[in-house]
Each structure stands twice: as structure tokens, then as C-alpha cells.
Amino acid sequence: MIRREALESLGLRKLGVYSPSSIRGCKRALYYSRIGVEPELNWDDEMLALFRLGHIIHDMRQRDFALLYPGFVPETPVCIEELGIAGHSDGVFVNEVWNLEIKTVGDSTFKSTTSPKKDHKFQATCYMKALGIPRTLFVYINRNNGQEEVYPYSFQPEIWDEIVEIVTGVESKVRAGVPPEKEVSAWKCKRCPYLHACQPFGEKSKSTWRRV
């Protein structure tokens, strides 16, 4: 159960698609997701605890919004079939016509955030495009103390154009059967669910983190 929920939080609940939450990340990881490589979750105890906490906060706020706003629909599925993009938005305020994105972050990130992160803008843009909703309400929550900041964000055509360029570029690699170049990062690679397939560090690529 924990493994399934954790993979879902990474946008990996469905194989063979491009996940909105990963769309601005490593193109090689997008490639492996698209061709259906089975992901492996390698997390240490701290990462697992942070996931559990974030999951609890998400559920709590979604329940709150459902009570406060009639017509709120949590975990709204989205799909842009022609590009192979699929995932789930945190929710939609149907009557108010807003998409919702909840982001739980640490104290230092929360204090330094003054607008939605670029990765999060890309993610929300996929949802807005798929749902036909032109605006997203970002709710950033400090997991250290529960403090919240809300940032409205409108659909930006130029970001959607970048997304299309990313996906079509990876899709061309998929058709050719040639993965994109490795984007090696010591921090990102060791927690990547496709570490086992990519082998960015050669024989040293085996994760020493806890496998859930």
C-alpha cells in the first residue's frame, strides 16, 4: 500500500504515459515511463516519513475544501491523449472554475517561496489544458508548522508550448528506440524510480536507500 501510494505521489500510478508532475524533469526518466519500464521506489526512512506527512496533509486539505465548497472534486483525472499525458489534479472547484494544486514543503523552501515553482507551473499547465480550466490555485503548506500561502496562477501559452516541445522530443526518441542522454545528478538520480534502468553511475548505480 505504501509503495503504491508513494509511486502515485510521483505521478507513476499509470505506466506508458507522461506524468504532469514529471514533465519538466529528466527526459530519460520520461522516456522510461513512456515505454512502460516498471518503476522501483528507493527511499530512506526520512524520505518515507516526509511522504507520509505530505500525504496526510493533502488528504486533510482536500476534505476541508470538499466541506467548504460544494462541487469540489478531489483527485480529478486528466488526459491529453494526443500527447500521451495523463495524471490526476489535486482537485477542481467546479462552481468557481479553479484547478487546485497542494504543495507541502519544508520550512526553508516555504520561507523562500514567493510564487509557484516553475516545475509546479508546468504540472498545473497540463491539468489546465486537459480540463479546459484557465486558472490554478496553488496552496503551499509548510509541513513544519502548517502555515499556508496561496498563489493564484493563470494558464500561460508559452509554458504549454514548452511542454509540447518536451513531449514531442521524447516521443521521437521513443519511436526510434533510443533513450535521451543521461542527465546525471547525484541527488536526483539516487532517488529516481528508474535508477535501475538508467544506471547513471555504472556499477555503482544500485541504490543503498530503503526499498519500500
Side-chain angles (χ1 to χ4, degrees):
M1 178 65 73
I2 294 173
R3 180 181 183 277
R4 178 182 63 79
E5 291 178 349
L7 288 172
E8 287 181 359
S9 77
L10 296 173
L12 299 173
R13 68 179 81 191
K14 183 178 181 181
L15 297 179
V17 299
Y18 297 109
S19 167
S21 61
S22 304
I23 209 74
R24 194 172 173 263
C26 172
K27 295 178 180 62
R28 196 174 176 98
L30 290 175
Y31 172 90
Y32 288 129
S33 175
R34 180 61 164 164
I35 66 173
V37 173
E38 186 71 29
E40 290 184 0
L41 189 67
N42 299 292
W43 281 357
D44 63 3
D45 289 337
E46 179 181 0
M47 197 73 178
L48 181 59
L50 291 176
F51 157 72
R52 284 172 163 167
L53 180 58
H55 193 70
I56 291 169
I57 293 172
H58 267 72
D59 283 351
M60 178 185 70
R61 294 306 282 131
Q62 285 172 322
R63 287 196 298 270
D64 291 343
F65 287 130
L67 289 172
L68 291 169
Y69 296 93
F72 174 74
V73 180
E75 295 300 314
T76 306
V78 300
C79 180
I80 304 174
E81 189 172 354
E82 62 270 23
L83 291 176
I85 295 174
H88 284 73
S89 161
D90 284 335
V92 170
F93 298 96
V94 176
N95 297 334
E96 294 78 12
V97 197
W98 282 86
N99 175 57
L100 171 70
E101 273 304 298
I102 302 170
K103 299 299 179 185
T104 56
V105 296
D107 188 60
S108 61
T109 299
F110 183 84
K111 289 178 179 177
S112 65
T113 298
T114 57
S115 64
K117 302 294 185 184
K118 193 163 186 178
D119 288 359
H120 299 161
K121 290 178 181 179
F122 273 60
Q123 179 183 2
T125 297
C126 292
Y127 299 146
M128 289 187 285
K129 184 69 174 181
L131 295 167
I133 294 176
R135 52 192 184 177
T136 289
L137 194 69
F138 280 100
V139 180
Y140 280 77
I141 303 175
N142 187 330
R143 59 175 171 251
N144 293 66
N145 57 26
Q147 186 177 354
E148 296 186 7
E149 288 288 349
V150 175
Y151 302 104
Y153 178 70
S154 298
F155 182 87
Q156 302 295 321
E158 62 271 20
I159 287 185
W160 174 246
D161 290 342
E162 287 188 57
I163 292 170
V164 172
E165 184 178 351
I166 290 169
V167 171
T168 54
V170 176
E171 194 69 11
S172 69
K173 295 290 187 179
V174 170
R175 291 194 298 270
V178 180
E181 293 295 320
K182 296 179 181 180
E183 302 174 28
V184 180
S185 164
W187 169 245
K188 291 181 179 180
C189 288
K190 76 172 184 177
R191 59 177 179 167
C192 176
Y194 299 109
L195 174 67
H196 62 293
C198 181
Q199 296 286 302
F201 312 117
E203 294 181 356
K204 296 181 180 180
S205 293
K206 185 177 180 180
S207 176
T208 58
W209 290 28
R210 175 179 178 177
R211 180 165 295 170
V212 182

